Amino acid sequence: MKWNRRVDGWLIVIVLISIFLHFYNIGNAGSNVYYTAAAKSMTESWKAFFFASLDPEGFITVDKPPVALWFQVLSVAVFGVSDWSVLLPEALAGVGSTLLIYFIVKPFAGKVAARWSSLIFACTPIFVAVARTNNIDAILIFTLLAAAWALMKAVRKQRLSWLLASFALVGVGFNMKMLQAYMVLPAFYLFYWLAGKASWKKRIGHLMAATVVVLAVSLSYAVIVDAIPKDKRPYIGSSQTNSVLELALGYNGIDRLTGAAGPGGKRDMRSDNEFQDGNGQMNHSTDPSSHSSLSNPQNDSLHSPPNLNGERPMGAFRPGGGQPPGGMGGIGRGETGEPGVFRLFQQQLAGQISWLLPFVLFAAIGLFASIRRQRAITPFHQFMLFWFAWIVPMAVFFSVAGFYHRYYLSMMAPAIAVLVAVGSELLWQFYKEQNGFWQWLFPGALLMTFLFESYVAFQHRSSLSSIWPQALALYGLAMFCFLIAFRHQRKAVRYLKIASLLGLLVMPFYWSLTPLLYGGNSAIPYAGPDLKRPDAYGRRAFGSGEEREVTSDLLAYLEKHYNGEKYLAATMRANTAAELMLKTDKAVMAMGGFLGTDPVLTAEQLAKMARNGEVKYFLISGFGGGGEGNKELIQWIETHCQEVPQAEWQMNAATTKRWSEQDEMPSPMGRGVKLYEYKG
């Protein structure tokens, strides 16, 4: 009996659901090769480990600080390089976040609200999708939730040390995904100001000390790296000035808001990164996480024939006539809809995160009504305000930002889960105790949310049975009527409440299952029934270009002619280098970073490296590189190196033509893929 009192059985059930969603078949879920190659390289030298180098020789880094990747490196060191090993830390972070939310909510809102918070969070589609990849958002969210837990502890215990620990954890998050971690800081400042028991002067002093801590932890890595002479460390990938601080403020900061990092922005090189969809429209990808991944890096999917359904392995690029209706598979701005007030309710984003947002709006009404009624801001109110301060800045950013990926929306998942769960308890009290307008808040929240979910399901009618929009609307209307009719029958309405909230989770849960059922996009993860469509835009988005450059024929040729050079080969783009490094134990040099646009080398520096015997082979393609400066590199290669005949390292022309016709697009081989050899 003692054990039963201490352990929440329903929490165990919720955790088991979370484990299933995050761990089921992750060995075949695929990984983002950009980060997988980095994790492999980081196990091979301490230099690569510290700088998050893409290659073991430390030529160039990935586009993020190393802290989150260190967890993947540890897993690779223990279990070896595989999709499973790099996904393990993310899956663990997903389950851990589900648990953390329970323990954050329980002291302020009780066990029931804590259970619902964890369950709703576990069923958030975009969080499940991203936690099943080695994009690092799941670890970041876990870190920020740990920071929130420490903040709550600081308020309950009235201990400055917990406050400083909380802000330090946000600083650790900065060294995972930079300014993205700072999106929660308004909530942290507001909550401590409202909930702290010290005098206002002491609270200001405490928050100033916490600010110093978060800045010190955040900038520690950037200051150390930028202070190291540039010739003694790797180039900072995706920066334009070889600076971690510039990377944080530029590409991983302001450029996301303005769109400079996205399609049409200053970093977008159309000549090298254009793909036409079936409607003749151009799709772009300018983010390193937009690159391909392989479910098994040792497989050469180019040689794999279509299966009985006419589908090629998930490693192969399958445009199939363009992106799904509504741009659900689109890349770039088409991926996230049009900026504006209602952006989060558009088809591209609504199914990922917004299912329960109408309920959150009703919870906001209930919160302010409760504050007005009690004429005080209680700890319960302060707790709800914390989560509103968490979600509002994010909602604003994601509504107006020029460029981001859908999986960034997973940052909103904790706040939505808590506000729906805790808000439902608040609205339930109004329903039971109040008359007039306030008694309608809970039934109204349910009805409007069901109607919105019906609308979202209707948006996906090309991939989802038409029965679902009707069923959701009718179920919501039935629950609304029952709650009104049986309001005074306490036992009946209690079960109606449970049935209503569970009903709200049916579609989000199905959406969360889709990456498990149909296979997800391991580079730019998203969820939804569009994944089951044969023309889902890129199970491994943009996997064809780099993957087909790195055929087994090419790899065999390079290894046969390798004579101890520092680099097996040099490529313009990081993804091509990553593919090669996952199939060999040798370093490959990404001369222009992930898109080929980073100003890493001059032609003179490249010539010196070639003369010194550091690199002999250069792979250049139509997917190759951009940037005015890097065109000089290509010109030098074409002038001073000898092209290797394609017949020596490439598939025969008939096979290339066959795959090109089946894909309904020119293969990379047809876009000018060439191998050059420097002979001195």
Side-chain angles (χ1 to χ4, degrees):
M1 294 298 294
K2 184 177 181 180
W3 183 86
N4 288 335
R5 288 197 299 268
R6 295 182 58 187
V7 177
D8 188 339
W10 285 111
L11 176 62
I12 294 176
V13 173
I14 294 167
V15 170
L16 289 175
I17 293 172
S18 179
I19 290 173
F20 170 73
L21 290 172
H22 292 111
F23 278 91
Y24 176 75
N25 204 28
I26 62 169
N28 295 318
S31 66
N32 186 332
V33 296
Y34 182 71
Y35 295 125
T36 304
K40 178 185 177 183
S41 298
M42 291 165 70
T43 63
E44 298 181 20
S45 77
W46 286 109
K47 178 181 179 181
F49 177 84
F50 179 75
F51 292 108
S53 176
L54 177 68
D55 59 280
E57 292 292 340
F59 177 75
I60 193 169
T61 73
V62 294
D63 68 324
K64 301 292 187 296
V67 173
L69 287 172
W70 285 342
F71 294 95
Q72 296 183 26
V73 172
L74 177 62
S75 183
V76 168
V78 174
F79 301 108
V81 183
S82 67
D83 287 343
W84 184 88
S85 64
V86 295
L87 267 58
L88 176 62
E90 307 299 323
L92 288 172
V95 177
S97 297
T98 303
L99 270 170
L100 263 179
I101 285 181
Y102 177 89
F103 292 112
I104 290 171
V105 173
K106 185 180 174 182
F108 289 89
K111 185 183 293 186
V112 173
R115 291 170 182 164
W116 281 111
S117 298
S118 293
L119 179 60
I120 294 168
F121 176 79
C123 297
T124 303
I126 194 59
F127 182 78
V128 173
V130 75
R132 291 178 58 84
T133 74
N134 61 327
N135 295 289
I136 58 182
D137 292 65
I139 290 180
L140 172 65
I141 290 170
F142 176 82
T143 302
L144 296 179
L145 285 173
W149 177 84
L151 178 67
M152 306 300 168
K153 195 87 168 178
V155 169
R156 295 202 310 273
K157 299 292 185 181
Q158 292 300 303
R159 295 283 295 274
L160 177 61
S161 58
W162 281 109
L163 176 68
L164 300 182
S166 171
F167 276 69
L169 283 169
V170 177
V172 172
F174 181 91
N175 285 303
M176 294 178 177
K177 289 202 75 175
M178 296 185 158
L179 288 181
Q180 185 173 330
Y182 279 6
M183 298 176 82
V184 303
L185 280 179
F188 282 60
Y189 283 107
L190 176 65
F191 183 75
Y192 190 77
W193 179 255
L194 292 175
K197 299 298 189 296
S199 67
W200 66 270
K201 290 183 179 180
K202 282 189 175 182
R203 275 177 285 163
I204 290 177
H206 292 170
L207 289 174
M208 290 178 63
T211 302
V212 171
V213 168
V214 72
L215 291 176
V217 175
S218 298
L219 299 178
S220 58
Y221 181 78
V223 169
I224 292 171
V225 173
D226 286 355
I228 298 174
K230 294 181 179 180
D231 60 344
K232 302 294 184 183
R233 60 171 171 82
Y235 185 91
I236 306 304
S238 300
S239 73
Q240 298 300 298
T241 61
N242 197 1
S243 165
V244 177
L245 188 59
E246 184 259 314
L247 175 67
L249 299 178
Y251 179 77
N252 286 327
I254 302 302
D255 287 357
R256 301 281 173 162
L257 179 63
T258 63
K266 66 182 180 182
R267 298 173 187 265
D268 181 32
M269 306 306 299
R270 291 174 182 265
S271 62
D272 297 316
N273 301 287
E274 292 183 336
F275 296 86
Q276 279 194 334
D277 65 19
N279 299 318
Q281 301 298 314
M282 305 309 295
N283 288 320
H284 309 268
S285 176
T286 61
D287 189 279
S289 58
S290 305
H291 296 310
S292 71
S293 58
L294 295 174
S295 58
N296 184 346
Q298 302 303 318
N299 289 340
D300 183 1
S301 66
L302 183 53
H303 295 283
S304 302
N307 62 24
L308 295 178
N309 296 320
E311 298 181 5
R312 272 178 291 289
M314 294 176 70
F317 184 49
R318 307 175 53 254
Q323 64 188 89
M328 283 302 294
I331 306 300
R333 287 194 176 93
E335 177 193 1
T336 55
E338 292 297 323
V341 175
F342 299 105
R343 190 183 200 177
L344 292 174
F345 300 99
Q346 295 175 16
Q347 179 182 358
Q348 293 91 333
L349 303 184
Q352 307 303 311
I353 193 68
S354 304
W355 295 95
L356 304 177
L357 282 183
F359 203 104
V360 172
L361 296 176
F362 275 82
I365 297 173
L367 171 62
F368 289 107
S370 179
I371 292 174
R372 181 180 178 184
R373 185 178 67 169
Q374 297 190 33
R375 300 183 182 276
I377 300 178
T378 67
F380 179 85
H381 297 145
Q382 294 163 358
F383 184 71
M384 287 192 69
L385 286 170
F386 169 81
W387 292 105
F388 276 113
W390 178 302
I391 195 175
V392 169
M394 296 180 189
V396 172
F397 174 84
F398 291 128
S399 295
V400 303
F403 178 73
Y404 61 89
H405 289 302
R406 279 178 286 190
Y407 64 88
Y408 294 9
L409 295 168
S410 56
M411 288 281 289
M412 298 173 63
I416 292 176
V418 175
L419 288 172
V420 171
V422 176
S424 68
E425 294 298 308
L426 178 62
L427 299 185
W428 185 249
Q429 293 302 316
F430 280 116
Y431 170 76
K432 292 192 301 181
E433 300 172 2
Q434 297 292 309
N435 293 312
F437 173 78
W438 305 116
Q439 68 174 318
W440 294 88
L441 282 179
F442 184 78
L446 287 173
L447 177 60
M448 295 306 297
T449 306
F450 271 113
L451 291 177
F452 175 70
E453 289 193 354
S454 174
Y455 171 70
V456 175
F458 178 75
Q459 288 178 323
H460 295 270
R461 57 193 178 277
S462 61
S463 304
L464 194 68
S465 172
S466 59
I467 194 174
W468 283 107
Q470 303 170 37
L472 287 166
L474 290 174
Y475 190 84
L477 184 61
M479 290 296 104
F480 178 84
C481 294
F482 289 152
L483 284 167
I484 298 302
F486 298 102
R487 181 172 178 239
H488 298 292
Q489 299 183 26
R490 298 290 183 177
K491 188 174 182 179
V493 295
R494 178 172 173 267
Y495 288 114
L496 284 172
K497 174 193 174 186
I498 296 172
S500 299
L501 293 177
L502 287 175
L504 290 178
L505 295 181
V506 169
M507 292 311 294
F509 181 69
Y510 167 65
W511 243 251
S512 298
L513 284 174
T514 55
L516 288 70
L517 296 173
Y518 312 125
N521 184 326
S522 57
I524 313 176
Y526 68 96
D530 289 338
L531 285 170
K532 69 182 178 181
R533 293 166 55 94
D535 59 349
Y537 200 75
R539 300 261 196 260
R540 304 291 182 264
F542 293 87
S544 63
E546 297 82 0
E547 187 176 331
R548 295 183 190 193
E549 293 169 18
V550 186
T551 62
S552 57
D553 299 332
L554 170 63
L555 183 63
Y557 181 89
L558 291 174
E559 290 189 322
K560 179 180 178 181
H561 295 84
Y562 176 74
N563 292 315
E565 292 83 11
K566 188 175 183 179
Y567 299 100
L568 177 67
T571 70
M572 287 306 302
R573 293 181 68 192
N575 236 47
T576 310
E579 293 280 359
L580 279 168
M581 286 188 288
L582 286 175
K583 296 180 179 181
T584 181
D585 291 328
K586 300 173 180 65
V588 178
M589 181 170 65
M591 295 181 289
F594 72 87
L595 270 184
T597 60
D598 294 352
V600 185
L601 288 172
T602 64
E604 292 76 14
Q605 291 171 323
L606 182 60
K608 182 179 179 180
M609 294 179 70
R611 289 194 300 268
N612 291 342
E614 296 182 48
V615 61
K616 181 170 63 173
Y617 288 101
F618 302 88
L619 187 65
I620 307 299
S621 75
F623 291 89
E628 293 298 322
N630 289 339
K631 291 180 180 178
E632 296 180 2
L633 301 182
I634 297 176
Q635 291 172 358
W636 182 89
I637 293 168
E638 292 174 341
T639 302
H640 295 87
C641 300
Q642 180 177 329
E643 182 179 353
V644 180
Q646 292 185 358
E648 296 185 22
W649 60 273
Q650 209 176 77
M651 295 184 308
N652 63 73
T655 304
T656 302
K657 182 175 185 297
R658 174 169 57 85
W659 281 111
S660 177
E661 290 173 347
Q662 289 174 349
D663 286 337
E664 302 177 4
M665 69 173 287
S667 76
M669 305 305 181
R671 294 191 60 171
V673 177
K674 297 180 180 180
L675 180 66
Y676 290 87
E677 179 182 1
Y678 179 78
K679 295 192 174 182

